[in-house]
Amino acid sequence: MRFRHYSALAVLLVSALLMLAGCGSRQPTAESRFQAYVKAWQSKNFTAMYGFLSKSSQKTISKSAFVARYQKIYNGISAGKMTAAVQKTDQEKKNAVSFKAALATLAGPVSFSQSVQMTQETRNNRQNWYVDWQPSLILPGLKTGDTVNVETVPSKRGEILDRNGQPLAIDGSAASIGVVPGQLGTGSGKAQTISRLAQILGVSVQQINDAMAASWVQADSFVPIKTIGAGNVSLIRQATSLTGVVRTNVESRIYPDGPASGHLTGYVSQITAELLKKNPNAGYSDTSVIGITGLEQLFENQLRQHDGATIARLNKSGKQTGIIAKTAPKNGRNIQLTIDRNVQDALYQEMKNSAGSAVAINPKTGDILGLVSTPSYDPNSFALGISAADYAKLSNDPMKPLENRFASASAPGSVFKPVTAAIALDRKAINPAQSVAINGLKWQDSKSWGDFYVTRLDSSPSVNLEQALYLSDNIYFAQTALKIGGQTFAADAKKFGFGETLPVPYPMQPSTLSSSGNLNDSLLLANSGYGQGEVSVNPLHLSLIYSAFVNDGSIIKPRLIKTDAPAEMWKKDVMSPATARLLNQDLIQVVSNPAGTAHDAQINGLTLAGKTGTPEFKMKQNQAGRENGWFVAYNTDNPRLLVTMVVENTQNQGGSHAVTPKVKNIFTDLLK
């Protein structure tokens, strides 16, 4: 009995050891090995893929040839994301592994549905599964000796048009200026030609010599030096008059409105490696163009074109044996804006020598008619390929021409006073007809303000609301803000959209009342009443707020894309209709009254209403400092144009009086 007991125990121990040994020596399956091969395939690790090939397969192609073949073909077809599903091995089919896969290419997805033979081999004293590779694992149907041919069919990027169909961004042609090395001559004559060409094109002699030194250049090659706008006839004529300098036409994105719409349209450029990485599997290739800034970037998905392409198999003799993938070209969609190019150009003409911004809207429909930021840049320069030197010049310009000012927000000054007035009237904090006694040119609420005083320019001993608006009395509106109260003022300002993103498909900096959103401090509240303190307003937002004065107290919803849909209100009933009508009449006095701050904008036969503003940016009161000039104006009879203009650094130009004549010119040109 004892012998049988130990014998049974020994059997159990041996069995356990055998089981453990069996577990430790478990071999990979054919499916798991092919799955590993597919993983390397998906990451395009062709070197790793070669390590999975059977010995017989490796004899048919070297590692370097395998890697080079895959890379060349996959680069040529712009191979992107690959998905694959590996199925169970069918033992009856001699260890064949089936799989289904799809590979993204420039001609659309390529589908694989194949059965791959797997072979067991022993390498380095270890048995494993290896792939019996065939060229069809690069692309379906491919055989040894076959090549792949890719043909593309070009398409067009969508156009950006104004409301009347006038082009703001279109596909066109440009002039590529280059040299034919063998025709440049020799010696000093050649050097003089290159030096003169460099001067004409604004490039360095070194740049031209480097271009001609490229490995592909032959004596009769055309070597491109710089691409310029086809309309630059004088420059083209100067350049091509030189011996050995020629011009060819190339496709290019064209911006007919140039700097006038530069910040609005933005520009396209050839895609960079960084952008390719940020947009994987999106159908871009290293030759694609992509929107970089402005509307070109914001509407990239609608505007971008998709070239057609055909990927075909060719046999050893070059005969086509099949189509692997094919897709038709697809043009981008046009974008038609509410922008009126005539309005845009009128704004730019008045602003081009200043730093600032100008916005124009139709206050009854919400259509945005113009968006201008100055100084500007020519988007054609970027689309054609701006030089590093020219870009550095723009970047380092103290006037900041690359900064988009119409999208930003800043202190509005007195153009904010109608908002204070509207809140006060609806809250019954003031009586518009009551004259308020004000003594002198400065005032403070209490000694707690220290040495700070609210100041005014006019010394009238008393003013009512109408007078306070057309005289732009800071003290009146500081006192009005205190009568409203900080909590009420902050709450009611939110009704006007402060702190909100504007409902327009262009990123605009939100307007804010204060950094905290509160007006608990009496000094901050008083200063906010006349648009100083921490108040910051986007010029488009301010334009929308003023639309309430002709829309019975509701703020129109802005529109940048042209539509036949009826106008909508963004903020309903931000003030009562009675308040809107009263303030509309008072704002007419700002222009029509001889004492009004905008009287120099009066136009005979055209009634304007509006408000000026001159926010100050000073480190200390009573010191000289920077000022900006603002003016908002709209026509009151059949209102169809409302303009908000901001000019920076007007401290030596009369503040807002540097702006009112510009806005007057716009209304005269467009409506008179």
Side-chain angles (χ1 to χ4, degrees):
M1 293 292 292
R2 183 176 297 170
F3 174 79
R4 285 196 298 271
H5 173 75
Y6 284 112
S7 177
L9 182 60
V11 170
L12 288 171
L13 286 171
V14 170
S15 299
L17 289 170
L18 288 172
M19 289 176 64
L20 288 171
C23 291
S25 61
R26 181 176 296 166
Q27 297 296 315
T29 63
E31 306 95 69
S32 66
R33 280 289 284 175
F34 189 72
Q35 192 72 265
Y37 173 86
V38 167
K39 189 174 182 180
W41 191 3
Q42 289 174 318
S43 61
K44 300 184 179 67
N45 188 344
F46 306 130
T47 300
M49 289 168 63
Y50 189 80
F52 286 93
L53 269 57
S54 65
K55 292 178 181 178
S56 59
S57 296
Q58 290 181 346
K59 287 180 180 180
T60 65
I61 187 169
S62 68
K63 180 190 287 189
S64 60
F66 178 88
V67 172
R69 184 165 168 77
Y70 259 108
Q71 286 180 337
K72 182 178 180 180
I73 291 177
Y74 276 26
N75 287 340
I77 65 174
S78 297
K81 184 179 180 181
M82 177 190 171
T83 58
V86 180
Q87 300 172 343
K88 285 284 187 180
T89 303
D90 187 346
Q91 295 297 329
E92 294 182 1
K93 293 185 179 180
K94 299 181 181 179
N95 300 323
V97 176
S98 298
F99 75 97
K100 291 184 178 180
L103 176 68
T105 74
L106 57 75
V110 173
S111 297
F112 294 79
S113 183
Q114 297 184 25
S115 181
V116 180
Q117 186 69 34
M118 303 293 290
T119 300
Q120 275 191 318
E121 295 178 1
T122 300
R123 299 183 187 178
N124 299 322
N125 298 319
R126 185 178 179 185
Q127 193 176 56
N128 216 327
W129 291 95
Y130 293 89
V131 178
D132 281 340
W133 182 81
Q134 298 293 330
S136 59
L137 284 175
I138 299 179
L139 289 173
L142 209 63
K143 298 177 181 178
T144 302
D146 282 357
T147 57
V148 175
N149 182 61
V150 178
E151 291 184 359
T152 58
V153 182
S155 56
K156 289 184 63 177
R157 187 174 177 86
E159 298 178 343
I160 301 177
L161 308 170
D162 86 337
R163 65 186 302 110
N164 300 310
Q166 292 297 309
L168 296 175
I170 56 174
D171 282 355
S173 64
S176 177
I177 306 298
V179 298
V180 179
Q183 298 177 11
L184 288 173
T186 59
S188 61
K190 177 179 179 180
Q192 288 177 6
T193 298
I194 292 173
S195 177
R196 179 60 181 146
L197 180 61
Q199 184 181 12
I200 292 171
L201 297 182
V203 300
S204 67
V205 170
Q206 185 65 45
Q207 182 178 333
I208 297 175
N209 287 329
D210 288 346
M212 292 192 297
S215 59
W216 58 270
V217 174
Q218 303 294 321
D220 59 349
S221 299
F222 170 76
V223 182
I225 303 300
K226 187 174 182 178
T227 302
I228 61 176
N232 203 336
V233 178
S234 176
L235 189 67
I236 295 170
R237 186 180 295 117
Q238 287 183 64
T240 54
S241 67
L242 300 173
T243 303
V245 178
V246 296
R247 165 222 175 136
T248 63
N249 291 329
V250 294
E251 293 182 354
S252 177
R253 191 68 163 172
I254 303 297
Y255 300 94
D257 208 28
S261 296
H263 287 282
L264 175 62
T265 60
Y267 57 88
V268 298
S269 181
Q270 186 166 329
I271 197 166
T272 62
E274 181 181 1
L275 286 173
L276 268 175
K277 188 175 181 180
K278 287 182 178 179
N279 296 274
N281 310 313
Y284 292 106
S285 70
D286 56 6
T287 61
S288 297
V289 297
I290 189 171
I292 303 297
T293 63
L295 295 173
E296 291 278 31
Q297 179 190 43
L298 295 169
F299 289 96
E300 169 66 14
N301 289 338
Q302 294 96 315
L303 292 167
R304 67 171 294 200
Q305 75 270 41
H306 297 268
D307 289 345
T310 300
I311 302 173
R313 294 190 305 271
L314 306 180
N315 61 21
K316 293 179 181 179
S317 60
K319 182 180 179 181
Q320 182 174 304
T321 58
I323 301 296
I324 297 171
K326 185 176 182 178
T327 185
K330 182 180 179 182
N331 293 334
R333 300 205 314 269
N334 293 346
I335 303 294
Q336 186 165 20
L337 307 175
T338 58
I339 295 292
D340 187 321
R341 186 168 160 181
N342 293 328
V343 176
Q344 184 80 5
D345 291 349
L347 295 176
Y348 181 72
Q349 286 302 313
E350 293 298 325
M351 290 291 297
K352 65 181 180 180
N353 296 320
S354 306
S357 62
V359 173
I361 68 168
N362 182 320
K364 299 296 287 186
T365 66
D367 287 356
I368 301 172
L369 304 175
L371 290 170
V372 167
S373 175
T374 55
S376 187
Y377 61 85
D378 188 351
N380 292 293
S381 299
F382 286 88
L384 297 174
I386 191 168
S387 69
D390 287 342
Y391 183 77
K393 185 177 179 181
L394 286 172
S395 299
N396 298 326
D397 190 327
M399 293 282 281
K400 300 180 179 179
L402 296 179
E403 180 180 316
N404 187 342
R405 289 166 164 89
F406 69 68
S408 63
S410 62
S414 297
V415 291
F416 182 76
K417 289 173 179 174
V419 176
T420 303
I423 294 172
L425 288 169
D426 281 352
R427 288 288 181 173
K428 303 293 191 290
I430 59 172
N431 179 345
Q434 182 181 354
S435 292
V436 176
I438 300 176
N439 184 24
L441 297 177
K442 64 179 185 178
W443 168 85
Q444 63 178 193
D445 184 50
S446 70
K447 297 296 182 183
S448 65
W449 287 10
D451 59 357
F452 182 86
Y453 289 81
V454 176
T455 61
R456 63 176 183 160
L457 297 177
D458 187 82
S459 58
S460 299
S462 64
V463 292
N464 60 20
L465 175 60
E466 179 187 279
Q467 294 166 326
L469 280 168
Y470 72 69
L471 295 173
S472 203
D473 194 307
N474 292 341
I475 296 176
Y476 180 94
F477 284 97
Q479 293 178 352
T480 298
L482 293 176
K483 291 174 183 177
I484 296 170
Q487 187 173 352
T488 300
F489 200 118
D492 284 11
K494 289 182 179 179
K495 298 178 183 178
F496 289 79
F498 279 82
E500 288 189 39
T501 300
L502 296 182
V504 61
Y506 201 108
M508 301 285 183
Q509 185 179 345
S511 302
T512 54
L513 197 60
S514 70
S515 56
S516 66
N518 300 317
L519 292 174
N520 299 327
D521 179 79
S522 65
L523 179 56
L524 179 61
L525 174 58
N527 281 330
S528 300
Y530 57 97
Q532 290 276 179
E534 296 176 354
V535 181
S536 182
V537 179
N538 172 272
L540 174 59
H541 186 194
L542 189 67
S543 302
L544 300 175
I545 290 173
Y546 272 65
S547 74
F549 302 130
V550 297
N551 288 313
D552 292 325
S554 294
I555 296 176
I556 199 72
K557 185 177 181 180
R559 303 192 296 200
L560 185 57
I561 303 301
K562 187 177 180 181
T563 176
D564 294 328
E568 298 179 51
M569 294 301 161
W570 175 40
K571 300 289 182 182
K572 294 183 179 179
D573 304 323
V574 298
M575 64 187 79
S576 69
T579 292
R581 288 191 293 271
L582 174 64
L583 289 176
N584 180 61
Q585 291 301 313
D586 289 350
L587 293 176
I588 291 175
Q589 291 299 309
V590 173
V591 179
S592 64
N593 193 299
T597 57
H599 186 60
D600 54 355
Q602 186 176 28
I603 302 171
N604 292 331
L606 184 67
T607 303
L608 296 182
K611 185 71 189 77
T612 58
T614 310
E616 300 177 346
F617 304 86
K618 300 177 180 180
M619 296 299 294
K620 188 176 181 181
Q621 198 171 23
N622 300 321
Q623 285 185 347
R626 184 169 67 87
E627 296 178 355
N628 288 347
W630 286 67
F631 185 35
V632 186
Y634 57 91
N635 71 300
T636 58
D637 299 325
N638 183 25
R640 59 190 187 278
L641 181 63
L642 188 155
V643 175
T644 297
M645 184 177 288
V646 191
V647 176
E648 298 175 3
N649 300 309
T650 58
Q651 58 273 10
N652 298 318
Q653 305 172 54
S656 61
H657 291 289
V659 188
T660 46
K662 297 178 182 294
V663 176
K664 177 182 179 179
N665 290 340
I666 291 168
F667 277 94
T668 301
D669 291 345
L670 297 176
L671 297 188
K672 192 75 170 76

